[in-house]
Amino acid sequence: MARHHHRLSPRPTRVRLLRVRRAATLAALAAVPVVVLAVFFVLPVIGMVRRGFVSDGAFDPAAVARVLGRAEIHQAIWFTLWSSTLAAALSVLLGLPVAYALHRLRFGFARVARAALLVPFVLPTVVVGVAFRQLLRAGGPLGGWGLDQTPAAIIAGLVFFNIAVVVRSVGAAWESLDPRPAEAAAALGARRWTVFRTVTLPALRPSIVSSASVVFLFCATAFGVVLVLGGLRYNSVETEIYYLTVQLLDLPGAAALSILQLLVVVALLVVAGRLRTVADPTQQRTVVRPRRPGAADLPQLLLTGLVLAFVAAPILTLLVGSLRVDGGWSLANYRALQSTGDDGTLPVTVTTALANSLRIALAAAAMALLLGGLVAVVVTRRSVSPGERRVRTVLDGLFMLPLGVSAVTLGFGLYLTLDRPPVDFRSQPWLVPLAQALVALPLVVRTLVPVLAGIDDRQRQAASSLGAGPLRVFGTVDLPAAWRPLLAATGFAFAASLGEFGATSFLYRGDHPTLPVVIYRLIGHPGEHNYGMALAASCVLALATCVVMLAVERLRVPSIGAL
């Protein structure tokens, strides 16, 4: 009996060693993302709280109330709320019929139309602002409408930028709905509208709620669109933070407003997540082949054509404007990109700024892929004990915190806090790509997590039992299934970093501006030559971004664009 006990005793020891090994692996994988988030996210947030609540060296909560009591702050908050709500509502109202036409109907150019609608969403916000400015300014195709630098222009730009979110999210849900309940209702005599209202709409509610909440957040945190189209008359919370920091040097006021925005955005994310959970009914989904359109589908097809025209008009106007000089066709604006503009408007040439953007975007994409890959691996591995499950849950919540912070808030927080030892990093060349990597991190995680979570963990266990180490397991089990999503995540991070403007506008070094920063400086200085250069630079930036995103689209990763 003693010998029998001695023969079984090594097994608990091996189990304990396995648990220690798993805990050590989890700690090693999570260490880098945790340290990065602690220094470059948590610390800036703490710095903003300290600057906003501390007055004359003492804790003063009333300081925030004084800032929020200003009339201009009230106007910025109110404008952000109503413009974002209206833009989100219009995006949903226009996006629903377009999603139906492009995902439930089969016609010749449906695939091209879906790709065309994706273009606005991947364009940098400053390019969207310049495109609408060219369309609506005096002398532009719609200049006679008097919409330049009005709320209507800003809302049109926000809808242009975000309608693809609704079409993509709702369309993906719509094309996979089980058609039998709707067919049964129609067979019982229900009219087409009744079937949609009582059967289809409840089934689509989760995707509609999801896309509407995300669009609202995108609109509320839009920076470049409002900054370019709003001028000096209309400010959102984002642009007000920028003006308080850059023009008025009111850092406590900007910190107080950033804290408010951070709390509101996080609360909206939580509420939106709960709404999606409550609204998500258990339903059987199947793949439905698109059908040929009939006469009853004509309104949806006509509206789809109008939306495509709405999307094409600013882009074509931007392209045509970049090719027109003194009433004739010319490439002079593009040749001028090798200059610094009239009277040395820019510290460097536009081509140098483009090279800066490409170099920074490559570094940011690499950082985002490293951090996002580690995060995805940590949160998708199966937990073998309640303690490990709790640790992974906490880490998952920590890693998702950047979702609740806009690029402007992140850039301002880094600018505010990283200027003194031991974290005097504000002049370091790697700070801008790191900030852009943090902005792109949620895109990378959202692309990788569904794929890694879908891999059967028993395959990893089998490889480990054969003596493979963690790196060998990842290379033989995870990588073959995840290489396409990895490439797609890299492309997403690169495109997002290439056009990033919010955080970069606070952190860039004066002699190393990026292309979005240069474009904004050009349109902010008078002169047709500078404005023509801004149009040409915007076209170059839009082309570079679209090439990357079209390459990503060809990878056909299902998790891309999932909301």
Side-chain angles (χ1 to χ4, degrees):
M1 185 69 180
R3 283 182 299 175
H4 180 67
H5 176 73
H6 179 71
R7 191 164 46 243
L8 292 179
S9 60
R11 181 173 179 82
T13 302
R14 286 197 299 270
V15 171
R16 285 194 297 270
L17 289 175
L18 179 61
R19 289 181 176 177
V20 170
R21 182 181 176 185
R22 287 181 62 90
T25 302
L26 175 62
L29 291 175
V32 173
V34 167
V35 170
V36 170
L37 285 178
V39 175
F40 298 101
F41 177 78
V42 176
L43 184 62
V45 170
I46 294 174
M48 286 189 295
V49 172
R50 185 183 61 196
R51 185 63 68 96
F53 283 91
V54 174
S55 178
D56 296 328
F59 181 70
D60 183 15
V64 175
R66 287 193 296 270
V67 171
L68 300 181
R70 301 174 187 171
E72 63 272 18
I73 302 297
H74 289 172
Q75 293 174 0
I77 294 173
W78 171 239
F79 180 79
T80 301
L81 289 175
W82 78 260
S83 63
S84 300
T85 301
L86 181 57
L90 289 175
S91 297
V92 171
L93 290 176
L94 293 174
L96 282 177
V98 176
Y100 170 81
L102 296 183
H103 290 268
R104 291 303 294 261
L105 302 179
R106 185 174 74 253
F107 51 93
F109 61 93
R111 185 173 177 179
V112 175
R114 285 197 295 269
L117 285 179
L118 182 65
V119 170
F121 182 67
V122 302
L123 288 178
T125 57
V126 68
V127 172
V128 174
V130 172
F132 270 88
R133 183 87 174 270
Q134 176 66 11
L135 180 68
L136 301 175
R137 71 193 290 254
L142 302 182
W145 291 16
L147 297 178
D148 190 22
Q149 295 191 353
T150 64
I154 295 173
I155 291 170
L158 294 176
V159 173
F160 170 90
F161 191 72
N162 290 295
I163 193 171
V165 176
V166 179
V167 173
R168 192 177 184 92
S169 177
V170 177
W174 211 329
E175 69 183 3
S176 62
L177 284 184
D178 189 345
R180 289 173 294 183
E183 293 171 353
L188 293 174
R191 295 178 178 271
R192 187 184 181 96
W193 169 249
T194 304
V195 173
F196 174 78
R197 181 172 53 84
T198 60
V199 179
T200 306
L201 190 59
L204 292 176
R205 189 175 295 122
S207 60
I208 293 174
V209 171
S210 173
S211 59
S213 61
V214 170
V215 168
F216 179 86
L217 290 174
F218 283 165
C219 294
T221 56
F223 179 60
V225 173
V226 180
L227 190 66
V228 174
L229 295 178
L232 299 176
R233 297 177 58 189
Y234 300 100
N235 281 338
S236 65
V237 171
E238 293 269 285
T239 57
E240 188 68 24
I241 293 171
Y242 178 77
Y243 284 130
L244 287 173
T245 304
V246 176
Q247 294 190 359
L248 302 181
L249 300 179
D250 183 4
L251 298 184
L257 197 55
S258 298
I259 295 167
L260 174 67
Q261 186 195 47
L262 175 63
L263 294 176
V264 171
V265 170
V266 170
L268 286 173
L269 284 171
V270 172
V271 170
R274 296 197 174 211
L275 284 174
R276 290 195 295 271
T277 302
V278 172
D280 194 5
T282 301
Q283 55 183 340
Q284 182 180 1
R285 293 181 180 268
T286 185
V287 177
V288 181
R289 292 178 60 86
R291 60 174 178 81
R292 290 285 184 182
D297 302 314
L298 186 59
Q300 291 90 332
L301 292 174
L302 289 176
L303 184 59
T304 300
L306 291 176
V307 169
L308 288 172
F310 168 71
V311 166
I315 299 175
L316 292 178
T317 303
L318 178 67
L319 178 61
V320 171
S322 70
L323 296 172
R324 300 286 291 179
V325 179
D326 297 330
W329 298 98
S330 173
L331 294 175
N333 288 330
Y334 289 89
R335 288 193 291 268
L337 298 182
Q338 299 181 10
S339 71
T340 57
D342 285 341
D343 300 324
T345 299
L346 304 174
V348 298
T349 64
V350 178
T351 52
T352 301
L354 174 61
N356 291 339
S357 290
L358 292 173
R359 184 172 59 253
I360 291 172
L362 283 173
M367 293 178 184
L369 190 64
L370 173 62
L371 295 175
L374 292 174
V375 170
V377 169
V378 168
V379 301
T380 56
R381 287 299 185 268
R382 185 177 64 89
S383 301
V384 297
S385 67
E388 184 180 343
R389 189 178 301 111
R390 285 192 294 270
V391 171
R392 292 185 189 275
T393 301
V394 172
L395 291 175
D396 189 19
L398 175 66
F399 295 145
M400 290 300 103
L401 282 177
L403 278 173
V405 180
S406 71
V408 167
T409 303
L410 176 63
F412 173 68
L414 294 172
Y415 173 83
L416 194 64
T417 56
L418 302 184
D419 61 342
R420 63 191 66 181
V423 289
D424 187 9
F425 300 141
R426 207 159 69 184
S427 61
Q428 296 298 321
W430 48 261
L431 183 58
V432 171
L434 180 60
Q436 294 182 357
L438 291 176
V439 172
L441 181 62
L443 291 173
V444 175
V445 174
R446 187 170 295 178
T447 303
L448 296 180
V449 163
V451 178
L452 295 180
I455 299 175
D456 191 344
D457 199 58
R458 289 173 296 184
Q459 299 180 38
R460 302 186 183 103
Q461 295 173 7
S464 297
S465 66
L466 294 174
L471 290 178
R472 183 72 179 273
V473 170
F474 181 81
T476 56
V477 178
D478 296 85
L479 192 58
W483 72 268
R484 282 178 179 267
L486 282 170
L487 289 178
T490 304
F492 255 131
F494 181 82
S497 301
L498 193 61
E500 205 287 315
F501 181 48
T504 307
S505 61
F506 287 90
L507 301 174
Y508 79 96
R509 294 181 294 165
D511 56 343
H512 287 80
T514 61
L515 194 53
V517 171
V518 161
I519 291 172
Y520 180 67
R521 291 191 64 170
L522 285 170
I523 64 175
H525 286 74
E528 287 299 318
H529 181 64
N530 286 341
Y531 189 76
M533 289 177 61
L535 297 180
S538 297
C539 288
V540 171
L541 182 57
L543 177 63
T545 306
C546 288
V547 167
V548 173
M549 289 308 303
L550 288 176
V552 170
E553 182 74 4
R554 290 184 64 86
L555 292 172
R556 300 181 182 277
V557 178
S559 57
I560 291 179
L563 300 172

